[in-house]
Amino acid sequence: MKSTPLSLVAGVVALAAVTGFAALTAPGDEGVTEAKAAARLPVERSSLLCPAPSTSDLADTTYTSFTPAGEGGGEAGAAELTPAEPLPADEDTPADKDDEAKKDDKKDEDAKGDKGDEDKAADSKPVISLKGLGKPATAETSKSDAPALVGTATGSFAPGWAAQQTTVAAAGGARGLLGASCTAPDTDFWFPGASTGASRQDYVHLTNPDDTAAVADIELYGAEGALKSDVGEGITVPARSSVPMLISTLTSEAAENVTVHVTTRTGRVGAVVSAAEDEVGSDWLAASADSASTQILPGIPADATSVRLVAFAPGEDDADVKVQLMGKNATFSPAGNSTLHIKSRMTASIDLKDVTRGEPGSLRLSPADGSRTPVVAALRVVRGTGAKQEVAFIPATGPVGERATVADNRAKGSVLSLTAPGETAKVKVTTSEGSEGGSASVKTYTVKSGTTLEVTPEIPAGLKGGYALTVESESGGPVHAARTLTLKESGIDMFTVQTLPDDGGTVEVPAAEQDLTVLDD
């Protein structure tokens, strides 16, 4: 028998390092060692991006950062959110430039005493850093030019790390309570529910967390298909920077309901849409869950006065979906709107009006004809009437899975909606310590099949500041969740809704199983 070359051994060892498993025997051996079953381990690094909060001089923003207590990805670590700003351009010194010239240049720079550089250095400091697990940390700003934030959590702070940005704009065209869960960078996003209409001012915010530029494309789809755009392709997002794009400037076509598709050619970005509607209010529109034949949109407030469903089929086939409301006690189809036909690559919408009729509810979209064509979807929800209207958006979202968290909750105004589209389920809800004091508490809830359960979280004893809300599945079928935060401002019940998909705090890692014995002739 010939010996196995050492280069092959080294190659398999490298593969094992990447994939987490390997089994190696010399050629001709009959037995092969089987890999052990995969295990779920805590992630050791997480990234989150928060968009620039507001350009209004009348806006106040609160940032909240939180990692649930529990087993983490190591003893050490940190979680910080810092301003997104371009890295200094590299200025390579010519090879023939002597050391004395370098010293002279340095002296000249020092003599200038560039105050702008000092300010930039100060702005580069972390806006918010976590000091421990299970307790939120907060920071505030009222700057109209507050930047987007780039965040990284490592070690024990990484599993389940969540960050929330909450802005109160008391007046002006962007009046409202704007809430956004800071999101992980990615390469593909769908936003049903945007608009290029005259009454809307919608921006796509693209934030690049990396040290090299990203290039993104933005496609727009209305009720008749793609909207013509000459400037939505090849958008450069510089390293560690954020670029807002006014959607109505990307096309000459005005459309009330638009689906926005963001992809990257190179790099990755965080993407979110800010939507401001004349005389109605403003909020953030987060990306829909990945396209699927069944979508769940949880957390429609009981007192919603107007609900509009916007859906899109990104594939080559049309979709026919059943529209069902999972209410307090049962699932039913809204009168006159039991189904929706969605033409391929065309945006479809239904005005469901006050569909909840005084009870909390969640919407389920599922195949109506067995075709199982994947779709993406979102809801535009209005509360109040006349001059006291306020708007929020609810995208389709995945289940809470093992665990999900929303970071910014207040002593008053936080409501949690839980819905079980399949089997009856049991979940554990933890209200954390307060950011400035208070004890954590835990309560278990049972969510009946096909219903929506609305609960007011148990406030931490002795609460000072805000708290985080964590939901964990315990038994039964999947549960989808959303948190509604309501703050009264200028006589208006301003509100925002954030969904709670699985936090991805653990990953499946195959167990290492290696036999690297080298056999000679």
Side-chain angles (χ1 to χ4, degrees), residues 195-198 220-229 247-258:
S195 178
T196 60
L220 308 177
Y221 298 90
E224 302 299 324
L227 303 182
K228 185 177 180 181
S229 175
I247 297 174
S248 60
T249 64
L250 301 179
T251 180
S252 59
E253 300 181 52
E256 182 178 12
N257 300 303
V258 171

Side-chain angles (χ1 to χ4, degrees), residues 14-30:
L15 178 62
V18 174
T19 63
F21 70 96
L24 175 65
T25 58
D29 284 0
E30 295 180 358

Side-chain angles (χ1 to χ4, degrees), residues 184-485:
D186 207 338
T187 60
D188 198 342
F189 305 84
W190 289 99
F191 299 96
S195 178
T196 60
S199 64
R200 287 273 289 269
Q201 296 81 47
D202 291 9
Y203 287 81
V204 181
H205 291 249
L206 306 175
T207 303
N208 178 5
D210 299 320
D211 293 343
T212 56
V215 179
D217 295 327
I218 300 176
E219 299 172 317
L220 308 177
Y221 298 90
E224 302 299 324
L227 303 182
K228 185 177 180 181
S229 175
D230 296 325
V231 291
E233 296 184 353
I235 299 168
T236 298
V237 186
R240 295 184 62 83
S241 295
S242 187
V243 174
M245 301 292 295
L246 180 60
I247 297 174
S248 60
T249 64
L250 301 179
T251 180
S252 59
E253 300 181 52
E256 182 178 12
N257 300 303
V258 171
T259 298
V260 178
H261 187 207
V262 176
T263 57
T264 61
R265 300 183 187 184
T266 60
R268 55 183 189 154
V269 297
V272 65
V273 172
S274 65
E277 187 168 352
D278 295 345
E279 301 180 359
V280 179
S282 61
D283 205 352
W284 292 102
L285 167 60
S288 169
D290 291 342
S291 60
S293 58
T294 297
Q295 295 283 19
I296 308 299
L297 301 95
I300 306 173
D303 60 351
T305 53
S306 174
V307 177
R308 180 192 301 159
L309 167 65
V310 183
F312 183 81
E316 298 300 323
D317 299 323
D318 293 358
D320 286 289
V321 298
K322 291 189 292 185
V323 180
Q324 296 174 298
L325 185 76
M326 294 176 285
K328 183 178 180 180
N329 299 305
T331 297
F332 61 92
S333 295
N337 291 305
S338 60
T339 62
L340 174 63
H341 180 69
I342 310 168
K343 293 182 180 180
S344 171
R345 304 181 76 79
M346 298 183 186
T347 299
S349 63
I350 299 177
D351 282 321
L352 299 173
K353 302 179 181 179
D354 56 342
V355 64
T356 54
R357 298 187 180 278
E359 293 185 354
S362 302
L363 215 62
R364 177 171 64 194
L365 306 181
S366 58
D369 57 2
S371 66
R372 305 190 67 81
T373 301
V375 300
V376 292
L379 297 173
R380 170 188 173 274
V381 180
V382 175
R383 296 169 71 187
T385 59
K388 294 188 176 182
Q389 292 183 90
E390 168 69 329
V391 69
F393 297 88
I394 304 174
T397 188
V400 299
E402 291 187 12
R403 181 181 61 191
T405 295
V406 63
D408 182 11
N409 296 278
R410 315 293 174 90
K412 295 181 179 180
S414 291
V415 174
L416 178 66
S417 291
L418 305 166
T419 187
E423 300 176 11
T424 293
K426 183 179 291 186
V427 296
K428 180 174 72 174
V429 177
T430 302
T431 52
S432 75
E433 301 177 38
S435 56
E436 299 175 20
S439 303
S441 63
V442 178
K443 194 167 183 178
T444 299
Y445 298 94
T446 297
V447 189
K448 294 181 179 179
S449 173
T451 68
T452 296
L453 176 66
E454 185 178 88
V455 298
T456 299
E458 189 169 307
I459 306 301
L463 174 66
K464 293 182 180 179
Y467 66 92
L469 193 59
T470 299
V471 181
E472 298 173 83
S473 296
E474 290 207 321
S475 63
V479 171
H480 298 248
R483 186 285 314 265
T484 299
L485 176 64

